[in-house]
Amino acid sequence: LPPGILTRKKIGFRVPIEEWFRGPYREFISDLLVSDGARVASFCNRDVLRQLVNEHLARRQNHEKVLWSLANLELFLRAFRPSSLETRARHSVREPI
């Protein structure tokens, strides 16, 4: 490699989240954030979530950063914050004495 390449500062590269959410992950992001089971909707207005997703998918606005953050929050909540049904089921099972 040329010395200019070997000695230059590190540079980042862009991940095409905008295109992914409009293409192969279109249904995923929509289902994740707008479905009835979306836990992030307990913190956010469901209509606003739907508007953000719809505007992004229709190419009216680029909400990739917000959608990426909300998607990660949703996945975190699903992994580490059980739903009320899961909590009740867990507490209703008694250990044998």
Side-chain angles (χ1 to χ4, degrees):
L1 293 174
I5 299 288
L6 294 174
T7 58
R8 74 178 178 193
K9 288 184 174 182
K10 287 177 126 180
I11 56 172
F13 60 93
R14 185 182 171 285
V15 178
I17 301 295
E18 175 184 4
E19 293 85 5
W20 287 348
F21 285 171
R22 289 179 176 150
Y25 295 105
R26 180 184 190 92
E27 287 184 36
F28 171 76
I29 196 68
S30 185
D31 290 344
L32 188 69
L33 298 179
V34 183
S35 69
D36 290 337
R39 296 182 183 179
V40 75
S42 64
F43 301 102
C44 304
N45 182 313
R46 188 175 298 276
D47 292 332
V48 173
L49 288 172
R50 188 174 289 110
Q51 180 181 356
L52 286 170
V53 171
N54 290 339
E55 286 178 355
H56 186 81
L57 296 180
R59 299 181 183 275
R60 288 192 302 269
Q61 292 285 327
N62 179 7
H63 296 300
E64 70 177 295
K65 291 179 181 178
V66 172
L67 294 177
W68 177 254
S69 297
L70 290 169
N72 280 284
L73 175 59
E74 178 65 27
L75 294 171
F76 174 86
L77 292 172
R78 289 183 184 192
F80 297 107
R81 188 171 180 206
S83 71
S84 59
L85 291 175
E86 292 168 343
T87 303
R88 277 187 290 206
R90 196 175 307 131
H91 290 297
S92 66
V93 176
R94 304 218 176 219
E95 294 292 322
I97 299 176

